[in-house]
Amino acid sequence: MTTRTLIENLKDSIGETVTIAGWVDIRRDHGKLIFIDMRDATGKVQAVALPNHIEAHEAANMLRPEWVVEIEGKVNARPEKMVKKDELNGMLEIEIVSVKVLNKSETPPIDVRGDGRDIGEEVRLKYRYLDLRRPRLQQNLRLRHKIVLFIRNFLSNNGFIEIETPLLSKSTPEGSRDFLVPSRLEQGKFYALPQSPQQYKQLLMVAGFERYFQFARCMRDEDTRGDRQPEFTQLDMELSFVDREDVMALNEQLLIELVQKTAPHKKIQQIPFPRMTYAEAMKNYGNDKPDIRTDKNDPDLLAFCWVIDFPFFEKADKGGWTFTHNPFSAAKEEHREWLMNKEHIEEILTTQYDVALNGFEIGGGSIRNHDPKALSCVFEIMGHKEEDIKANFGHMLDAFSYGAPPHGGIAWGLDRLMAILQNEPNIREVIAFAKTGEGKDLMMAAPSDVSPEQLVELGIHIVK
Ligand code: ASP
């Protein structure tokens, strides 16, 4: 392609003839003058076709919104009284010399220039590649990139390394329902997609990495409930030789700096973040992710708080006990003996800490049980039989018998944090290719049927 000038850089080319390339944002026909607003990934600019450039004028007349074109033109400064101060290229205009159509566009099924809030979400998700052209979503994903980059740098500067963990893993009774992937090579057996990298990150601590993080995709096959996605992104981290205070302090610092550097117009209500116990949160707010904002009308107020001292166990629906957060958590120091003796079960508190923001849980973690005996006790309290514990978690118990350091970590719900920072009502607005509440990808039409041959290969027979 001819040397292309990015639209955001046009101000450096006043008086020159340049070539820009992008999409026709809008065409306004004033008879003699045809205005073409051009858009590329870096911004917008107004171009004008004058009748004296006959060929260019005719070509501009043919253009329609969303066509992809290359425009050669002269960058003219606008006369003083025509300058639009608040716009990126408000001080200039392009006088079109020639137009080259790179690709035409059908009339788009949805308007891509407005904020899209008045368009039905199904059609937005079906034509997501068009929906993503709108400035609001472009901005959401660009801020997301900025934040991810900030976190990567912050953690790298603090001695963390980023490690990927597998997507094809083992099904374990760990909380939610697993997404299963049938094995072709071992028919009748299944992988599970990870609900979180919890076990792998702990095993990385056993392996001696000491400080790990990852932007991890987590898959949970849950029923439609509120603003959930079957797959979502966590900022996941784990640290060795730390206690609860260390993990909380580091994460608090990261959250504060992240807001200050990437969303400076936001105001954090209180630093250090206030803390309350689970019992206090339930008593004073009736939930464990309290909205402590002093002014709920202020869209730029961020009220972070920590909730600690959760009960380790709760009564399970089917009777017996289940964990409230994470079976791998350690009990609080003063309750470790109760855990080992399997007594006062209801009163055992965990080292779990959750961070809430404006009424949403945006992260949670704990110090872990690195003692294999204590971990076994957790599963025994929940009524797991010895052979089941071995089959499901034997690899963890084995690993912990080879010199596991004390460790702990946390995971943030990155999508939720992004939605709050962008004042978006749901996480679909900050995920590039989101699914519907029913877990459908309307653009790809997934889930979908597969061929009978594929099923045969997997040894699967569908019962209708
Ligand atoms: N793996 C946990 C979760 O997904 C977070 C953690 O404890 O680090 O909720």
Side-chain angles (χ1 to χ4, degrees):
M1 207 171 262
T2 356
T3 315
R4 172 184 174 215
T5 303
L6 294 176
I7 287 178
E8 68 177 351
N9 295 333
L10 284 170
K11 56 185 178 312
D12 305 327
S13 302
I14 290 180
E16 294 167 24
T17 297
V18 299
T19 301
I20 59 170
W23 287 260
V24 174
D25 200 56
I26 194 165
R27 172 179 144 278
R28 289 184 304 276
D29 191 346
H30 289 208
K32 285 197 180 130
L33 302 183
I34 300 169
F35 292 97
I36 306 288
D37 284 355
M38 282 290 293
R39 183 182 83 228
D40 71 11
T42 68
K44 288 187 196 176
V45 66
Q46 176 172 289
V48 59
L50 306 172
N52 56 336
H53 300 295
I54 297 170
E55 228 172 284
H57 191 264
E58 268 171 19
N61 197 26
M62 305 295 291
L63 297 181
R64 293 294 177 271
E66 302 312 308
W67 285 25
V68 182
V69 296
E70 198 180 278
I71 286 181
E72 187 195 348
K74 191 158 164 252
V75 186
N76 293 331
R78 288 194 197 195
E80 190 76 55
K81 61 179 196 308
M82 309 280 278
V83 168
K84 289 187 185 154
K85 282 215 175 61
D86 314 326
E87 286 179 20
L88 170 70
N89 285 312
M91 78 302 273
L92 58 85
E93 188 178 64
I94 299 215
E95 181 186 332
I96 301 176
V97 176
S98 71
V99 175
K100 186 164 152 198
V101 175
L102 302 177
N103 210 344
K104 293 183 181 176
S105 168
E106 300 287 342
T107 304
I110 52 172
D111 171 49
V112 303
R113 286 175 299 119
D115 68 14
R117 294 193 201 272
D118 51 343
I119 305 174
E121 199 178 21
E122 299 229 323
V123 67
R124 287 184 52 209
L125 290 174
K126 173 154 193 228
Y127 296 99
R128 190 59 154 182
Y129 45 86
L130 296 179
D131 191 47
L132 288 171
R133 289 183 186 172
R134 71 182 69 260
R136 175 166 65 99
L137 293 199
Q138 287 272 322
Q139 219 181 338
N140 285 354
L141 293 187
R142 286 174 198 283
L143 182 74
R144 190 177 174 126
H145 161 72
K146 224 167 136 181
I147 285 179
V148 165
L149 186 61
F150 181 85
I151 294 171
R152 280 209 161 94
N153 288 329
F154 179 100
L155 292 176
S156 303
N157 292 336
N158 278 278
F160 285 76
I161 66 163
E162 187 171 3
I163 303 177
E164 292 169 273
T165 55
L167 287 183
L168 293 176
S169 188
K170 178 183 163 75
S171 181
T172 54
E174 207 190 306
S176 308
R177 190 181 292 109
D178 284 325
F179 274 105
L180 298 176
V181 179
S183 163
R184 178 182 59 83
L185 297 174
E186 283 191 69
Q187 282 195 356
K189 296 203 172 166
F190 294 83
Y191 300 99
L193 301 178
Q195 296 180 22
S196 86
Q198 182 70 35
Q199 299 187 36
Y200 288 109
K201 70 172 171 175
Q202 292 193 244
L203 295 169
L204 288 170
M205 295 303 105
V206 178
F209 287 100
E210 296 200 23
R211 287 184 166 217
Y212 138 96
F213 80 100
Q214 177 183 193
F215 291 94
R217 205 68 65 77
C218 302
M219 270 77 61
R220 299 180 188 177
D221 189 3
E222 288 174 300
D223 292 335
T224 324
R225 184 143 54 96
D227 180 20
R228 296 239 177 142
Q229 287 277 302
E231 54 179 309
F232 58 95
T233 303
Q234 287 187 342
L235 163 62
D236 191 44
M237 68 176 85
E238 197 75 6
L239 305 77
S240 292
F241 306 106
V242 286
D243 57 28
R244 186 172 85 170
E245 293 304 316
D246 298 316
V247 184
M248 289 170 74
L250 178 108
N251 278 269
E252 189 162 321
Q253 192 56 35
L254 174 52
L255 282 165
I256 293 168
E257 286 191 26
L258 177 157
V259 170
Q260 289 170 347
K261 300 274 160 54
T262 64
H265 56 288
K266 297 274 176 189
K267 187 176 170 287
I268 299 178
Q269 179 167 295
Q270 200 182 333
I271 297 173
F273 300 168
R275 292 180 181 198
M276 66 188 88
T277 63
Y278 170 78
E280 286 164 349
M282 293 308 283
K283 183 164 151 262
N284 298 330
Y285 298 91
N287 65 68
D288 61 1
K289 40 184 189 310
D291 188 350
I292 60 163
R293 276 177 295 174
T294 49
D295 176 2
K296 293 198 173 116
N297 294 318
D298 178 351
D300 288 331
L301 186 63
L302 300 176
F304 292 98
C305 68
W306 290 103
V307 181
I308 54 172
D309 291 355
F310 290 86
F312 201 130
F313 298 99
E314 64 187 4
K315 290 250 156 66
D317 295 341
K318 334 182 244 300
W321 295 100
T322 185
F323 55 89
T324 62
H325 282 80
N326 192 328
F328 300 104
S329 299
K332 284 192 79 184
E333 184 91 50
E334 59 270 33
H335 296 161
R336 285 189 192 155
E337 223 173 281
W338 287 349
L339 181 82
M340 301 305 277
N341 296 334
K342 292 172 249 168
E343 60 187 20
H344 300 287
I345 291 168
E346 198 150 12
E347 291 161 72
I348 300 175
L349 295 178
T350 130
T351 51
Q352 177 82 24
Y353 31 78
D354 278 3
V355 56
L357 171 59
N358 295 5
F360 292 94
E361 185 201 319
I362 58 152
S366 62
I367 299 303
R368 323 298 184 187
N369 258 332
H370 65 289
D371 168 7
K373 276 203 215 79
L375 184 55
S376 291
C377 287
V378 172
F379 293 118
E380 284 163 28
I381 288 173
M382 296 193 303
H384 293 217
K385 302 222 172 52
E386 207 186 310
E387 58 271 25
D388 294 339
I389 300 175
K390 274 227 173 74
N392 289 321
F393 300 104
H395 54 286
M396 296 298 281
L397 297 168
D398 276 354
F400 288 177
S401 71
Y402 294 109
H407 60 284
I410 193 168
W412 302 3
L414 192 73
D415 308 299
R416 172 62 57 201
L417 176 63
M418 288 304 314
I420 297 172
L421 288 177
Q422 291 290 67
N423 295 324
E424 288 291 3
N426 66 64
I427 63 174
R428 298 184 295 282
E429 303 293 343
V430 296
I431 295 172
F433 297 104
K435 295 186 174 60
T436 65
E438 291 77 41
K440 286 193 167 63
D441 179 336
L442 296 177
M443 184 184 68
M444 306 288 278
S448 64
D449 293 325
V450 295
S451 71
E453 294 76 23
Q454 284 172 299
L455 291 177
V456 168
E457 272 186 336
L458 295 168
I460 289 180
H461 175 69
I462 304 286
V463 183
K464 284 261 160 96

